[in-house]
């Protein structure tokens, strides 16, 4: 088994940058043999009243 495509490995770094630029956080939980779960939390947008 292996990756079908090779990349530059910057996708997660870029995603983290974008999420943090919006005041959020990105987390990962990995389990060997199962995979990884990524969680992205962003602050709620203030709505005008």
């Amino acid at each position: 088994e292996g990756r079908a495509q090779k990349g530059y490995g910057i996708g997660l770094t870029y995603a983290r940058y974008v999420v943090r630029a919006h005041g959020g956080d990105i987390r990962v939980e990995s389990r060997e043999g199962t995979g990884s779960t990524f969680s992205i939390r962003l602050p709620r947008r203030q709505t005008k009243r």
Side-chain angles (χ1 to χ4, degrees):
E1 296 224 0
R3 294 176 72 176
Q5 296 179 342
K6 294 198 179 223
Y8 293 103
I10 63 170
L12 186 56
T13 300
Y14 183 70
R16 183 178 177 207
Y17 170 80
V18 171
V19 169
R20 286 190 170 180
H22 286 70
D25 189 33
I26 186 168
R27 296 174 189 233
V28 62
E29 182 180 325
S30 295
R31 292 195 178 127
E32 189 173 339
T34 303
S36 301
T37 300
F38 293 84
S39 301
I40 297 173
R41 296 185 64 133
L42 295 170
R44 276 189 194 208
R45 189 172 125 184
Q46 299 289 329
T47 53
K48 294 181 181 180
R49 293 184 182 208

